[in-house]
Amino acid sequence: LGREHVLLSKTLSEVGVVRFKTGEYTIAKQSFTEALRIMRLPDNGNDSSSIYPTLSHLGHALYKNKELKLASESYLESFNIQASIVIGEENRDLEGFSKKMRSIEDEILSLDQSGEDTSELSSALGGIANILRYIGLVNQELGDFEQALYV
């Protein structure tokens, strides 16, 4: 398949997860970084829904390696991709997302009332809540308590 095939990126991401679980955070970071490089190649489709989990995993490995600024950047990029999926338009920051939360809540209520399945949207919002937790933890460790509370 080749060294830049999208399937290799998925394998590298899984290797990163295994390395992370065994406490090998530096090797995990390398695996996630290479997986993301391959995922982002133009010929591989740059599918954001497959990129954001690897970004989150990379953030975890960076956090464990005490590379807090880089962890924060990785988490924020993952958050922006997930938020964009939920709101249906590009998201660039936490503040912009919080302003749109009301319309998301209204959409969920409307879907619930109409009897439509909201499990996919609920799952995406759960992922966003999880990543916000990690962004808050990183900000707290960086000593930026105001930003940690904002998240």
Side-chain angles (χ1 to χ4, degrees), residues 1 3 20 47 60 64 108 121-122 134 146-147:
L1 296 174
R3 296 187 49 84
F20 183 88
D47 177 22
H60 299 331
K64 289 290 191 176
I108 292 171
L121 187 55
S122 294
Y134 286 108
E146 186 175 319
Q147 185 65 23

Side-chain angles (χ1 to χ4, degrees), residues 70-141:
L70 292 174
S72 179
E73 291 171 13
S74 185
Y75 287 141
L76 191 57
E77 186 177 352
S78 176
F79 166 80
N80 282 330
I81 291 170
Q82 292 178 72
S84 295
I85 291 168
V86 169
I87 61 178
E89 60 187 65
E90 188 172 6
N91 190 75
R92 295 201 174 270
D93 58 22
L94 295 169
E95 188 177 335
F97 179 75
S98 67
K99 290 178 181 174
K100 295 172 183 161
M101 271 307 291
R102 187 73 199 136
S103 65
I104 293 169
E105 291 169 0
D106 291 343
E107 181 180 342
I108 292 171
L109 183 60
S110 172
L111 290 171
D112 272 346
Q113 290 174 346
S114 70
E116 291 186 48
D117 182 21
T118 60
S119 59
E120 185 177 343
L121 187 55
S122 294
S123 175
L125 288 172
I128 288 171
N130 193 35
I131 205 71
L132 288 173
R133 175 179 164 258
Y134 286 108
I135 292 171
L137 287 173
V138 168
N139 285 322
Q140 179 182 341
E141 293 238 0

